[in-house]
Amino acid sequence: MDVSATERDDLRRSVRDFAASRPLADAVRRVVEGEAAYDQAAWDTLATTMGLTAIGIPQEYGGAGYSVAELGIVAEELGRSLAPVPFLSSAVLATSALVCCADDAAKAQYLPGLADGGAIATVALGGFTSWPFPDRTAINASATDHGHRLAGTAGHVLDAGAAGLLLAVAGLEDGWGLFAVDPASPRVVLRRHEALDLTRPLYSADFDEAEAVLLGRGPADWPGLAGLASRISAALACEQAGGMASCLETTVAYLSSRAQFGRPIGSFQAIKHRCADLLVELEAARSVAYEARDRAANGLPGRPGVVAAAAAAQSWCGDAYVHAAQEAVQLHGAIGFTWEHDVHLHLRRARADQLLFGTPRAHRRALADSMGI
Amino acid sequence: MTAETAAAPTTPEEFRRELSVFLASHHPGRPPKSATRKEIADWQRQWSATLYDHGFAGPSWPGAYGGMDLDLERQIAYYDAIARARVPRHPGNGPGIAGPTIITYGTPEQRERYLRPMLRGDEIWAQGFSEPEAGSDLPSLRTSARRDGGEYVVSGQKTWSSGADIADMMILLVRTGTRESRSRGITYLLVDLASPGITVRTIRDMAGGEHFCEVFFDDVRVPVANRVGEENGGWRVARASLGHERAARALSQAMLFRRVFDELVAVLKERGAFRDETARDRVAQLEIGVRIMTLSAQRTIDDIRRTGTPGAASSTSRLYQALLEQRLYELAMELLGPDALLTGKDPGAVQRGRWVRNYLSSRAATIGTGTAEIQRNTIAENVLGLPKEPRP
């Protein structure tokens, strides 16, 4: 589907307005204080009123028929707000897993529910020791008379408490499979971690011979899995760019109003130069994230150009968001070190994003491989 | 659609091939050995003329002035092919800075007189902006121009004027207002460097090069017809020309960096540097930097095409580029190790000493055309909107 520049601008503006709304800011705090695992009202607005959960899903499966390009725009704008909703887990990870790795019947079964937001899903990927492929030993599947059973542990599963459907990428004898698991099954044990990022709850999932339905399978170098990794990297990079923009804007506003020595502290060069450097990094992040997003949208999954663009984006944006958040804390001075101020929430999110889906160093290793060095 | 693309309905790929064939068949080879600066400049001039005469000069210039008026895709293809072909650079600042300024702000007579010879390399242009006492604080410049009938009489001194020794013409900023008038009292002139009263002296730089010049003006007469814009209105014109410099250069620089970086990777690979995992990581990091440079340049050009203005990415790309250039040569030195120590004059130098020579030259990247510190001030104040430094 061809999307005009104007449509994209409209989409961006509507998500930005939503991300900046007061109720959402209150919701962030409720989740931070542990009163909820996510904000139902914000999710309803996002899914039902705005239709954002349908963004990355083909029309034939009840989706809006947009691509990763538009998914990235939504992720970028939501990233500004730390919106405590399972958007990344359900609308990006789970949706992408189904789009990239599931067969048509499975797509038809699960995608319409994810599209209208009535269903929430997440993915147990089981850690990345050799990006873009998950750790082979983490979760394994064995065939039974009726289907499959999964055994193993995924140490880092986002938003599992909100999800009614758990997708798992597990090793098969001759490759990989994507499986559906019922998180309420007694053979699945979810444990919520006390984790760094307070706005996106993190769980572990233990599978003790849990019943699982095979949704799609592929060989050891499954392009579907590589495509999934590229989509995750691209959308996450956009989210990171949005988070950076928020850090910088908040910081510039503070520096313009806070006065010491009889003048706004933002008029001091020592401060200004650090902000200028952050803008340099932010514009670079946008350039590399947009490229990854558009390549993932238009390129064939697993192709070197798509993989390299995704790796470049994750390496740069992962580091740059952390830097922006750390600088935001520093430039806010003592107020930035308080629990009440939101800037530490970005720092927490930035670090979690940087380490969860392949570290920058792992992405650079993948990039070096693709360069043939 | 431009007249150019309508007349030649080739795809960007076909265009690139056509250009590559041309470059290969007309390539002037290596620069003449142990040549003087003037001989090198003449060799560059000849190449500019070859390009012009075959319709391959001025990719973003309008066709009316001998340019190619290419769309974005073809500009990218153009700069890529040029960067890879290792052909001579155009000597001086004409097509990148002086030309776009004259196209935008010049009179019809000025456009007619100067643009085509500039593009063809028949006339080389230099820039006379900085002065010994006006570097980062350019609006304090003092070189004066007094009106005398149909002429200005110019007196003063310019410095850091790159290539003034081999140039024929100069874009010059002079003070026509009071000394306190700062940016409101500056006028933009086009000056023939053969005029009586002009003395040019080269300055040796830390890398051993001699392309910077001091230029002295002793009652030099410049026709009023050579003024660009209004009297005392030159600051706006000059700032716009700095903008052109940025937009036009971003893409071609990016393509050049890509070529140089690929060559660095090749020489390191040949020498087995990538057995070290840290070296792989550092090089991958720089690969990302080079990618970003191209992507940001493409974003800028897309923004210009879509909205008429360069947009957000352009505000930071020059500083980004300068820092990347330094990182590239720093990394080259680091990963070549002790072998990087021999300069081009030593027979044992790696690739005729290009890496150490450019390492030294790259230190100017954060000084010339606005220091990195001034650029950071500009970004912070003009883009981010942070409060200005109170004037003492």
Side-chain angles (χ1 to χ4, degrees), chain B residues 30-40:
Chain B
R30 304 283 305 163
K33 278 230 162 67
S34 58
T36 63
R37 279 181 49 72
K38 198 180 161 311
E39 285 162 354
I40 298 270

Side-chain angles (χ1 to χ4, degrees), chain A residues 136-289:
Chain A
R136 281 206 74 88
T137 60
I139 312 169
N140 282 290
S142 51
T144 65
D145 293 345
H146 312 291
H148 286 80
R149 288 186 181 278
L150 300 191
T153 299
H156 307 97
V157 188
L158 292 175
D159 291 319
L165 170 66
L166 197 53
L167 301 177
V169 175
L172 286 162
E173 269 172 31
D174 53 350
W176 297 96
L178 177 72
F179 295 89
V181 185
D182 177 3
S185 151
R187 294 192 167 273
V188 177
V189 179
L190 299 178
R191 193 167 56 81
R192 182 167 174 176
H193 292 299
E194 291 292 333
L196 176 66
D197 184 355
L198 301 171
T199 52
R200 200 141 62 194
L202 187 65
Y203 296 75
S204 66
D206 285 318
F207 301 99
D208 176 20
E209 300 297 331
E211 274 186 45
V213 181
L214 180 65
L215 306 181
R217 65 190 301 165
D221 59 347
W222 194 9
L225 207 46
L228 169 61
S230 301
R231 278 175 71 120
I232 297 173
S233 289
L236 192 65
C238 292
E239 184 188 286
Q240 287 160 328
M244 286 179 78
S246 174
C247 287
L248 182 55
E249 284 164 17
T250 309
T251 303
V252 165
Y254 177 74
L255 297 171
S256 303
S257 62
R258 167 76 175 169
Q260 289 285 273
F261 306 102
R263 54 193 263 208
I265 57 175
S267 67
F268 289 98
Q269 282 198 358
I271 304 289
K272 260 182 202 164
H273 287 188
R274 296 174 76 152
C275 293
D277 285 336
L278 290 179
L279 185 65
V280 171
E281 289 181 25
L282 170 59
E283 289 303 338
R286 285 178 171 145
S287 293
V288 76

Side-chain angles (χ1 to χ4, degrees), chain B residues 146-358:
Chain B
R146 170 172 58 80
R147 185 79 174 258
D148 181 22
E151 292 176 322
Y152 287 105
V153 182
V154 177
S155 288
Q157 181 189 349
K158 292 288 173 181
T159 192
W160 313 129
S161 177
S162 190
D165 59 327
I166 48 119
D168 307 289
M169 293 293 301
M170 175 175 271
I171 48 175
L172 183 71
L173 292 184
V174 292
R175 175 137 325 271
T176 39
T178 61
R179 180 167 287 189
E180 297 71 39
S181 60
R182 294 186 58 83
S183 59
R184 296 180 311 280
I186 290 171
T187 298
Y188 195 112
L189 298 178
L190 310 177
V191 179
D192 184 343
L193 286 172
S195 311
I198 295 179
T199 312
V200 179
R201 272 209 296 258
T202 58
I203 301 167
R204 190 156 196 211
D205 66 46
M206 65 169 248
E210 292 199 59
H211 60 276
F212 289 127
C213 298
E214 296 177 291
V215 185
F216 300 88
F217 297 84
D218 184 13
D219 285 344
V220 176
R221 295 195 161 259
V222 180
V224 170
N226 280 22
R227 188 183 70 209
V228 181
E230 299 294 309
E231 186 167 294
N232 295 326
W235 185 248
R236 200 170 71 92
V237 177
R239 282 181 62 94
S241 79
L242 292 173
H244 285 299
E245 181 189 10
R246 197 165 59 198
R249 278 200 167 181
L251 189 61
S252 56
Q253 284 290 102
M255 300 298 181
L256 192 70
F257 267 52
R258 167 53 68 192
R259 190 201 81 200
V260 172
F261 175 71
D262 288 350
E263 287 167 354
L264 176 63
V265 172
V267 72
L268 290 173
K269 198 170 176 179
E270 201 179 285
R271 301 166 66 85
F274 298 127
R275 285 191 291 266
D276 175 11
E277 191 56 39
T278 307
R280 272 167 52 90
D281 186 60
R282 299 286 306 279
V283 167
Q285 205 150 25
L286 207 61
E287 161 73 23
I288 296 166
V290 174
R291 281 169 176 256
I292 286 171
M293 202 166 140
T294 310
L295 296 170
S296 294
Q298 284 170 352
R299 267 178 75 204
T300 299
I301 290 178
D302 279 337
D303 284 342
I304 292 174
R305 303 249 162 199
R306 207 159 75 91
T307 67
T309 54
S314 77
S315 61
T316 55
S317 62
R318 198 153 62 94
L319 178 56
Y320 181 84
Q321 240 173 62
L323 298 172
L324 186 70
E325 181 181 339
Q326 295 185 337
R327 276 175 51 209
L328 181 104
Y329 290 109
E330 286 163 13
L331 187 65
M333 294 298 284
E334 240 178 276
L335 297 185
L336 288 170
D339 291 347
L341 297 177
L342 305 184
T343 70
K345 290 176 185 155
D346 192 289
V350 179
Q351 296 189 328
R352 291 186 248 198
R354 66 181 288 201
W355 302 106
V356 61
R357 181 170 61 250
N358 287 322

